[in-house]
Amino acid sequence: MPADRPSDARARGPLWSEPGSLLEHVAVAVFGIDDDNRICYWGPGARDLFGYHASQALTKPGALLLPGPPGGGPDACARMAERGRTLGYWRGRLHAVHQDGTVLDCGFRVFPVTGTAGRSVIMALASRGDELDRVKTNLAFLDALFETCPIGLAMFDAELRYLHVNQALADMNGLPIEEHLGRRLAEIMITSDGGEYERMLRAVAAEGKPVTGVRVGMRTRGHPDRDKVLSVSFFPLTQAVGTHQGVGGLLVDVTDREQAIVEASATRQRLALLNRATARIGTTLDVQVTAQELVEAAVPDFCDAAVVELAEWGDEHAAFDPALPVETHRIAHGTVLPPPATELVSGVDVVHYPPGSAIHRMLRTGRPLCVAVNQEFMVRTMLDETRARLLADSGLACLLLAPLIARGTVQGIAVFGRSAARPAFTEQDLSLAGELASRAALSLDNARLYNRERNIALTLQRALLPAALAPGPYLHIAHRYLPGSRVTEVGGDWYDVIPLPGGRVALVVGDVMGHGVSAAAAMGRLRIAAKALARHDQEPDGLLTELDQCAEEAGIELATCLYIRYDPATGGTRIASAGHPPPLVRHPDGRIQLIDDVLGVPLGVGGCPFRTTEIELPDAAILVLYTDGLIESRGHDIDEGLDTLRTELGRISASLEDTADRILARLLPSSPADDTVLLLARVHRAQR
């Protein structure tokens, strides 16, 4: 039957021949022999093999096709048919005769076929012996090639999934053959070339262009710690029916000959790790977060387990004394090993190291140190027997100890551990660990210094702010001060309520630009000066003028201040501002008034006059004073904040305390970026 070769899938009928099949390379003749050993069926292949047309062969004795034996006797065709009848199946090699007299060496397969009438026919299949031998040789060669070839061989489908690998490649990758099959290339190979290796193979599959002798540096999932250099050649595979084009490959391990590439690959791996760690470590000024970032950068790319511990020094400036024990506080940990390794790294907060321990040896030199997990290490370093047993059972075989040193001070230690499944740490690993520890130590020290300065500033600020306010009988006050979140520094916000002669009272709120101890100190100077000036009963504009002069003399470059003096006898309220956000007034009828006609310029600018404005406040009106931290935040401008504040004041409750809490909850994010002051004052008139 001629092969059906449609031009595309739409031209196919329900049946078609598979292109590239074995029958295209080995012609098969099919014919039938009846009970009289005559030819009763004749296929097209028989005509091609023996040279007879059907009309010339049908009903003729089968001896026409096979020469008779010398000396007479049964012909070969009769003997072959008899064997098919008696054995049910027979195969063998016989000489056949072509119509032109040529003798052919052929392979035969014969077997009986029974029809509906009960008559049987011997069907014979014949092929040229040389063609059969060629196919057998090729198949045997391929089998032997995959079984014994020392070169890695692989077949991939179009999605770069492994279809077939030989043992040499399985050994090279460190994984059994079965764990390759069906998995993608990227699940086996680990490269640091940005995906170039995989793109090369995809181009072979898509474009059909082979590549030869390309050098590739990589690691494999079976040997994740071992750098290799492979010489690879890939070629497209013939597409079979119903499948996509695939890729075949030959891979030769040339690591020994390409040690320079191995070193370059290892260096790239270390640099890539260092780059990732640099980007990951020190993203915040939180000590614990920074320590955990170091652990996550090292595990699992560099090691199987890691911990970070801060040293508990009595005096951080004292020299390290190797004769004294070392106490550390473990603040970060991580491991990819199963229990009990997880309990080993996480089950302790405070660790004690006795004199003579490996930690002391490392701290004495100030350089990373690699130690084996053995009996000597257990005895000299591990005081707790329970934890020593956990370490022995954890699977860790070696540890790399690195000091966390920044600005000449030992912050603590980082410990990296590898299991026996990975090679021990090398000198290059010691250098990498030292670099990681150095960068982490600087970030940790920055966080430590920041927290120290922030705590000092908070302490100073709280000491300078009023512990309690005494507004008198004509003011009801609710006040709030919220420092910024831990990721920002302390600001210079302040507020005060100052009793004045004649039953009057002054309200002050201010904000020194900047952060930290200097801002807190400047705030304290301005608050004390404002309180002293207010008790001299100056007009608000005169008070700000003198306060501006104090700021210039103290070197305070920029600060805002709002000063309000209220007289309960008349309700008269005099206001002056030095660049501070304007106050609001909520009238008893619910109307909200913004007093924005006396904005002024900030303190410390100098040379600009201030002025006082006066309004009359009705009984039960509420004055609202605040700093910009309340109405200004990331993603929201001041006008939007003021509108929200107006809305909240419109829903004011009888309790000023509840109102203050609700305003802060509504306007401030969970982690405010700046300090915030809010002062609510309900005024009352004096009875005449």
Side-chain angles (χ1 to χ4, degrees), residues 311-323:
E312 300 289 344
W313 305 120
D315 182 359
E316 66 180 50
H317 300 293
F320 167 68
D321 187 348

Side-chain angles (χ1 to χ4, degrees), residues 197 199-205 207-216 231-236 247-250:
Y197 181 61
R199 286 193 291 271
M200 178 180 69
L201 267 69
R202 291 193 180 278
V204 173
E207 302 171 11
K209 296 180 181 179
V211 295
T212 306
V214 176
R215 297 293 198 271
V216 181
S231 175
V232 301
S233 299
F234 292 101
F235 48 88
V247 176
L250 296 88

Side-chain angles (χ1 to χ4, degrees), residues 151-176:
I151 296 174
L153 302 174
M155 293 172 57
F156 301 92
D157 64 13
E159 298 301 320
L160 300 187
R161 290 185 291 254
Y162 285 89
L163 297 176
H164 194 13
V165 298
N166 67 343
Q167 190 60 49
L169 183 59
D171 294 340
M172 196 181 304
N173 292 341
L175 294 170

Side-chain angles (χ1 to χ4, degrees), residues 638-661:
I638 292 178
D639 291 336
E640 185 177 349
L642 271 175
D643 290 341
T644 304
L645 180 57
R646 286 172 180 267
T647 301
E648 293 303 317
L649 289 174
R651 301 200 301 264
I652 200 165
S653 62
S655 170
L656 290 183
E657 297 291 338
D658 293 344
T659 300
D661 289 337

Side-chain angles (χ1 to χ4, degrees), residues 405-417:
I405 302 175
R407 301 181 177 95
T409 301
V410 177
Q411 309 293 320
I413 60 174
V415 182
F416 309 99

Side-chain angles (χ1 to χ4, degrees), residues 227-310:
D227 292 292
K228 292 178 179 291
V229 177
L230 304 182
S231 175
V232 301
S233 299
F234 292 101
F235 48 88
L237 297 176
T238 303
Q239 182 175 352
V241 171
T243 66
H244 298 289
Q245 187 144 333
V247 176
L250 296 88
L251 302 90
V252 182
D253 189 342
V254 294
T255 304
D256 293 340
R257 301 199 302 269
E258 301 289 343
Q259 191 61 36
I261 297 180
V262 172
E263 291 299 327
S265 177
T267 300
R268 284 197 301 272
Q269 295 277 355
R270 286 191 287 268
L271 287 176
L273 172 61
L274 193 58
N275 288 336
R276 291 194 300 271
T278 300
R280 181 180 296 182
I281 298 171
T283 59
T284 72
L285 287 172
D286 186 287
V287 173
Q288 286 190 305
V289 171
T290 300
Q292 193 62 40
E293 288 169 344
L294 171 59
V295 169
E296 292 173 358
V299 178
D301 292 343
F302 180 66
C303 59
D304 298 312
V307 298
V308 174
E309 300 172 1
L310 293 186

